[in-house]
């Protein structure tokens, strides 16, 4: 599949006149259409709800769009809870799926009325210490151990992951929580990340639905929801076949009817905590070529760097690049596209075949809408860029300003040094 930018070169140049590159640009129309498709795909389940994983794109304007589309938020830290609260998410619209949780954060989540999803058995005692009473609804995170396979492919290694409880622990946790007054229970698991196959969710659903039936019988509890969490991926590479959310929703429905309905559990709600799938394709990092360098390789230096998008440097992740205005030109030049950090892994692309790039060309780095800006950092004293929203009517709205040196030095505000930095 050809990857097409969601904005034209003319539009990007117009935006760049007001907001200098680099910047992250989000496509409101794409975000809304995709959220609608997800909702549609699970409309067979009356209790269905998507809790957007805030860490993927922690911007209040984005959260407001998703709220308007019927989504809640999935949080795992104090500031993510604060952000949700500020956006008007309350009560069961917030899922608190944290791990290694500071006890005060359980308290904060409880005060907001959020659903607390316990990562570990020992957290029951921790919650008991900080809360006066247990909430009526609680969830526990499951880890089946071993390797997680789809057909013969190893998708991930849950046995090596820090998250979740064993089945024995989860069953015992439900018994104890029930004694302490919890009435409605949820089960959560996240077994593989960025899956580009329609089989992941149905397979995970089967594991969790069968577990739910066993746990319901063993602990005598009401299972109110199953949380399939995140993990539905996106095709970062142009040759990857995208997931079909309708096929995925239908696959989960089949397993639901096979496992839960016959067990008298046809009232169980399905929850998701998608991040990447909700936002990934609907954001891009827009940057300009500012240097070319010809040594042992051909380099194009751009005005963005790994602090704006860490995935290529951190995971060697592929992000497709379109040279704006040259969409139909032959990709007959091999480049490393680099940022300016004093780190040799600061490369958005290595040995990438692209059209010939001239200084001043705009590069559209695709699929940065999730885990893009949010993984940013300040190494080398580099500053975070602005985030902009391309609205449905074609106008552009700034939804986060770019950092200034003053922001970078703000944590020295306890002393007089650097106070005059502008
Ligand atoms: C990161 C995370 C998600 C979202 O993952 P994606 O890969 O972005 O879909 C959901 N739930 C939890 C608990 C997470 O840690």
């Amino acid at each position: 599949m050809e990857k097409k930018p969601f904005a034209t070169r003319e539009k990007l140049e117009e935006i760049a006149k007001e907001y200098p590159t680099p910047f992250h640009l989000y496509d409101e129309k794409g975000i809304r259409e995709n959220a609608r498709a997800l909702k549609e795909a699970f409309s067979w389940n009356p209790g269905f709800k998507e809790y957007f994983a805030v860490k993927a794109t922690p911007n209040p304007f984005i959260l407001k769009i998703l709220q308007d589309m019927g989504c809640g938020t999935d949080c795992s830290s104090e500031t993510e809870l604060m952000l949700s609260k500020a956006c008007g998410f309350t009560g069961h619209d917030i899922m608190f799926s944290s791990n290694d949780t500071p006890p005060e954060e359980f308290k904060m989540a409880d005060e907001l009325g959020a659903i607390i999803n316990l990562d570990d058995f020992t957290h029951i005692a921790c919650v008991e210490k900080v809360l006066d009473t247990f909430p009526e609804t609680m969830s526990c995170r499951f880890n089946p151990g071993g390797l997680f396979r789809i057909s013969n492919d190893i998708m991930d290694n849950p046995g090596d992951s820090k998250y979740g409880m064993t089945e024995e622990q989860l069953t015992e946790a439900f018994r104890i929580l029930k004694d302490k007054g919890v009435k409605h229970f949820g089960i959560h698991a996240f077994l593989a990340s960025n899956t580009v196959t329609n089989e992941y969710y149905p397979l995970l659903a089967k594991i969790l639905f069968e577990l739910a039936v066993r746990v319901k019988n063993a602990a005598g509890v009401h299972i109110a929801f199953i949380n399939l969490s995140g993990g539905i991926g996106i095709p970062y590479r142009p040759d990857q076949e995208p997931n079909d959310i309708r096929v995925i929703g239908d696959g989960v429905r089949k397993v639901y009817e096979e496992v839960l309905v016959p067990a008298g559990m046809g009232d169980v709600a399905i929850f998701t905590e998608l991040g990447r799938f909700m936002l990934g394709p609907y954001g891009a990092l827009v940057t300009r070529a500012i240097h070319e360098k010809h040594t042992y390789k051909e380099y194009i230096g751009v005005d963005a760097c790994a602090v704006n998008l860490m995935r290529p440097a951190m995971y060697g992740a592929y992000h497709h690049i379109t040279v704006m205005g040259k969409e139909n030109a032959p990709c007959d030049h091999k480049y490393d596209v680099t940022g300016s950090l004093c780190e040799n892994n600061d490369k958005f692309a290595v040995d990438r075949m692209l059209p010939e790039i001239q200084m001043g060309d705009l590069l559209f780095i695709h699929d940065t809408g999730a885990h893009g800006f949010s993984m940013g950092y300040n190494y080398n004293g580099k500053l975070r860029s602005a985030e902009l929203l391309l609205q449905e009517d074609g106008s552009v709205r700034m939804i986060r300003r770019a950092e200034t040196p003053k922001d970078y030095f703000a944590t020295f505000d306890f002393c007089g040094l650097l106070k005059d930095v502008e």
Side-chain angles (χ1 to χ4, degrees):
M1 275 247 303
E2 193 198 351
K3 273 190 169 285
K4 280 185 67 157
F6 54 76
T8 61
R9 187 176 80 94
E10 291 67 31
K11 185 74 194 174
L12 296 181
E13 285 293 2
E14 180 194 319
I15 298 170
K17 279 200 191 103
E18 195 169 347
Y19 306 100
T21 54
F23 52 79
H24 281 271
L25 182 67
Y26 300 93
D27 172 26
E28 179 173 9
K29 184 163 173 278
I31 295 170
R32 285 185 183 272
E33 280 171 2
N34 183 63
R36 204 169 291 127
L38 171 72
K39 209 169 156 182
E40 216 19 70
F42 284 90
S43 57
W44 56 266
N45 180 259
F48 175 76
K49 193 170 180 76
E50 150 70 4
Y51 291 85
F52 176 66
V54 174
K55 69 164 191 255
T57 322
N59 185 300
F61 295 87
I62 299 289
L63 297 186
K64 280 294 208 183
I65 294 172
L66 293 169
Q67 184 178 47
D68 188 47
M69 299 306 295
C71 302
T73 58
D74 159 37
C75 303
S76 64
S77 67
E78 178 187 17
T79 50
E80 289 177 0
L81 287 169
M82 290 168 75
L83 193 52
S84 299
K85 184 185 177 191
C87 290
F89 293 93
T90 54
H92 284 191
D93 288 345
I94 306 173
M95 183 68 65
F96 189 52
S97 285
S98 58
N99 70 93
D100 190 19
T101 312
E104 320 79 72
E105 293 186 9
F106 283 129
K107 191 161 174 58
M108 188 175 175
D110 187 58
E111 280 165 7
L112 290 174
I115 301 176
I116 295 174
N117 179 30
L118 295 178
D119 177 68
D120 190 44
F121 184 77
T122 60
H123 293 180
I124 299 172
C126 180
V127 167
E128 186 155 39
K129 271 204 199 117
V130 291
L131 303 191
D132 302 330
T133 53
F134 279 83
E136 282 207 351
T137 301
M138 285 195 90
S139 171
C140 287
R141 185 167 183 164
F142 174 57
N143 182 334
L147 292 172
F148 181 68
R149 288 188 169 83
I150 295 182
S151 307
N152 277 325
D153 297 340
I154 294 174
M155 300 300 289
D156 224 314
N157 188 352
D160 203 32
S161 107
K162 66 172 179 169
Y163 307 109
M165 325 182 187
T166 67
E167 178 166 347
E168 291 69 32
Q169 290 172 332
L170 187 136
T171 310
E172 188 58 18
F174 279 19
R175 284 198 191 103
I176 292 171
L177 291 169
K178 184 184 159 200
D179 282 348
K180 296 190 184 293
V182 178
K183 294 193 172 64
H184 310 290
F185 291 82
I187 300 177
H188 167 280
F190 189 163
L191 301 188
S193 192
N194 192 29
T195 58
V196 190
T197 157
N198 295 329
E199 289 175 68
Y200 170 63
Y201 252 22
L203 208 66
L204 171 67
K206 189 167 159 59
I207 292 170
L208 294 185
F209 293 170
E210 287 171 354
L211 172 71
V213 174
R214 289 196 300 275
V215 173
K216 175 195 180 236
N217 294 332
V221 294
H222 173 233
I223 308 286
F225 64 86
I226 306 275
N227 185 345
L228 300 175
S229 187
I232 298 187
I234 58 167
Y236 286 100
R237 291 174 183 274
D239 59 359
Q240 282 177 304
E241 182 71 29
N243 286 319
D244 185 337
I245 197 64
R246 281 168 310 172
V247 174
I248 291 173
D250 205 49
V252 175
R253 182 185 58 78
K254 284 199 189 94
V255 186
Y256 190 97
E257 285 168 0
E258 247 168 60
V259 181
L260 289 181
V261 174
M265 296 169 73
D267 65 333
V268 172
I270 302 298
F271 293 167
T272 57
E273 290 174 343
L274 298 166
R276 196 186 313 272
F277 182 77
M278 300 307 287
L279 253 298
Y282 315 109
L285 175 59
V286 179
T287 182
R288 210 182 275 285
I290 57 171
H291 290 288
E292 57 187 309
K293 176 165 175 166
H294 318 278
T295 52
Y296 307 103
K297 295 180 92 171
E298 293 295 300
Y299 294 99
I300 296 294
V302 295
D303 58 7
C305 63
V307 306
N308 306 114
L309 176 68
M310 195 185 198
R311 299 185 72 259
M314 189 170 178
Y315 311 120
Y318 180 96
H319 278 265
H320 198 65
I321 296 176
T322 299
V323 183
M324 298 307 297
K326 299 183 177 173
E327 287 82 350
N328 300 315
C331 294
D332 53 4
H333 283 64
K334 191 193 267 187
Y335 293 118
D336 280 15
V337 178
T338 76
S340 57
L341 294 187
C342 304
E343 275 285 342
N344 195 41
N345 66 0
D346 184 12
K347 295 180 177 179
F348 292 113
V350 175
D351 295 334
R352 184 77 57 91
M353 295 307 294
L354 290 167
E356 183 172 16
I357 294 174
Q358 260 88 38
M359 294 307 90
D361 280 352
L362 283 176
L363 273 58
F364 185 97
I365 305 182
H366 291 251
D367 301 319
T368 71
H371 312 294
F373 179 95
S374 64
M375 285 176 95
Y377 56 116
N378 280 124
Y379 195 54
N380 262 170
K382 293 285 177 179
L383 305 175
R384 290 179 177 82
S385 78
E387 291 181 291
L388 308 174
L389 181 67
L390 178 58
Q391 301 180 111
E392 287 185 291
D393 65 2
S395 63
V396 169
R397 179 175 190 186
M398 183 171 74
I399 58 172
R400 188 194 301 262
R401 67 163 171 81
E403 278 183 344
T404 66
K406 207 175 171 67
D407 296 314
Y408 180 70
F409 294 123
T411 42
F412 296 111
D413 60 359
F414 63 94
C415 65
L417 295 168
L418 294 159
K419 73 175 186 322
D420 297 325
V421 171
E422 279 305 328

